[in-house]
Amino acid sequence: MVHLSLLLLVSAAAKSALAVSPYVDLGYSQYLGTAQSNGITSWWGMRFAAPPLGNLRFRSPQEPVYNETLQIANTHGLLCLATGGSPTDPTTSEDCLFADVYAPSNATAESKLPVFIWIQGGGFNANSNGNYRGDGMILASGMNMVVVTFNYRVSLYGFLASQEVVANGNTNVGLLDQRFLMQWVQKYIAAFGGDPGHVTIGGCSAGGASITFQLTAYGGRDDGLFHAAAAESASVFTILTVEQSQYQYDALVARVGCNTTADTLACLREVNATTLQANNYNIPYPGLGPNASAPLFMYDAVIDGDFVQDFSQRQFAEGNFVKVPAIYGDDTNGGTDFAPQSTANYSQMDQFLIDNYPTMTPDQITAFNYMYPEDMEFFNGTGAFWRTASNAYGELAYLCPGMFVSTAYATYSTLGSWNYRYNVEDPTQMAEGYGVPHTVETAAIWGPQYVSSTPPASYWPNGTNAGIVPVMQGYWTSFIRSYSPNTYRAPGSAVWQEWVPTTQNRIMVMTNATAMETVDINEQARCAYITANSVYWEQ
């Protein structure tokens, strides 16, 4: 039973028309958020879809179930189950489709504030950026935006594909979860002070890849769910067809003992999540030989002829994407988190590349060996070719595809295309050899105290890189508010010029030295080769 004082609080809040009430009635549920002392109200752990359990496993998200009990929205929802995750991890669950909303407490239902939807990363195999807090961005915007974060299904729960799943389920359900959340925003965000007609989607790593897939969804069909996009360190992995993904399904079915049943998918739906998690691990692509290792991220979006109709790079090349203002960019050393630190020679580097891009030909491997000479940077306990392999993977999987998307936007759209290279050097990361690693810019965009991961020490107040936080927040909140990173950028910060394909000019973000730069001619040549061959290695 809800305490009487709480009921009185809810009643008073509901009657107030002066500000967004901590109490919101979404029809299917009522939620009571928290009015914080910093002038921001937050709602944590709101269901935006039905629990994807039982017969809803491997199916598209469904409308949330009606609940007449007032929900106290002060606890984050559990994260979705991850590849390799412990079966007993108390922070994760298959019942994970929850959203958080942050809004200025003085907003009203008529405020129509710009909305930012954040899609977290994790290689489509984990929710790696869960529970980021929107406080920092809202404060940086002058209380002029609403922030939405959420979980979506990943790993086998979000991206299992096979002929059986097509026949009696749905493919790419993790992407469908994202789409469903966007539809939820269209229905309900006004109750939090947001404008459903002014929505920017953003994300990092696989969240950035999600931006790519949402932009090209259904062949680039514009359903009016978003109006601008900002992709940070967007990944582009090998994209398989449903038929090519069958080996993943068959292996899983065998591991959990469903291969002897007549209806293997029905059997998989009956297996409890603990058993699935105990058998949830990556395996190598078939046909790569005895030296092959599992790819970094086996479960990924698949070409299903519906949501994903072709390779991402080809869809952008042909103009089959939603035309909105767009930011893409990457970090200087985006591959150091992924290449094996023990990599000691070209043979080991080549195997790492083939393990992750299995259709690479011998001639293409030879070209990579030529394009990426031995780095000659050594760090304690690392192989001589760690940084070499990192350079190759970082440009192949992240940097070059992002530049190509910026080119596609500049070519097919007049709404604005911006690209960046994030080059903020943290002393510890530099000393350890990571350079400026994958997705480190998120700590500056959100503010170091508002991310769930451990940000570099130099980003905190009084740190050597503390000054980059207002610069990045200025660009991002300006883009969210006005569809341009320049309108409300931080005072004194550089004008971020649009990307021009012929000159390849991007902003280079660096503490006390942020400025426009032209992409190095050698990098341009490497990216031209990668772009020309991207379809051959199924990007």
Side-chain angles (χ1 to χ4, degrees), residues 258-282:
C258 286
N259 55 327
T260 60
T261 62
D263 189 337
T264 56
L265 185 58
C267 179
L268 276 185
R269 288 194 170 111
E270 294 174 356
V271 175
N272 64 55
T274 300
T275 300
L276 281 180
Q277 280 303 95
N279 291 277
N280 186 6
Y281 52 84
N282 291 338

Side-chain angles (χ1 to χ4, degrees), residues 147-197:
V147 175
V148 181
T149 65
F150 68 104
N151 302 330
Y152 59 94
R153 283 173 286 178
V154 290
S155 187
L156 64 91
Y157 309 90
F159 294 95
L160 190 67
S162 70
Q163 60 181 357
E164 292 86 354
V165 174
V166 170
N168 191 21
N170 300 97
T171 52
N172 294 315
V173 296
L175 298 176
L176 296 177
D177 289 345
Q178 298 172 7
R179 200 81 167 184
F180 202 76
L181 181 281
M182 296 177 196
Q183 294 166 344
W184 182 92
V185 166
Q186 289 296 306
K187 293 177 184 176
Y188 302 114
I189 204 62
F192 302 91
D195 181 1

Side-chain angles (χ1 to χ4, degrees), residues 12 134 227 314 395 467:
H227 314 93
R314 187 150 61 194
E395 293 192 346

Side-chain angles (χ1 to χ4, degrees), residues 5 46 49 74 82 95 139 175-176 214 230 262 285 289 291 390 446 454:
S5 61
M46 295 184 292
N74 62 0
D95 182 8
L139 292 168
L175 298 176
L176 296 177
Q214 296 297 340
Y285 287 108
N291 296 323
S390 298
W446 290 80
T454 303

Side-chain angles (χ1 to χ4, degrees), residues 65-147:
V65 177
Y66 177 77
N67 188 336
E68 64 181 9
T69 303
L70 177 66
Q71 307 294 301
I72 309 303
N74 62 0
T75 303
H76 297 296
L78 295 176
L79 301 177
C80 297
L81 296 171
T83 304
S86 169
T88 58
D89 183 353
T91 68
T92 63
S93 171
E94 191 175 5
D95 182 8
C96 61
L97 298 183
F98 298 97
D100 297 348
V101 174
Y102 299 82
S105 299
N106 64 357
T108 72
E110 288 73 42
S111 293
K112 293 190 178 298
L113 295 176
V115 178
F116 181 54
I117 298 176
W118 165 255
I119 306 176
Q120 57 182 306
F124 293 127
N125 281 252
N127 288 162
S128 292
N129 313 106
N131 307 329
Y132 277 23
R133 294 189 53 153
D135 306 54
M137 299 186 74
I138 293 174
L139 292 168
S141 74
M143 300 296 195
N144 282 300
M145 60 184 288
V146 173
V147 175

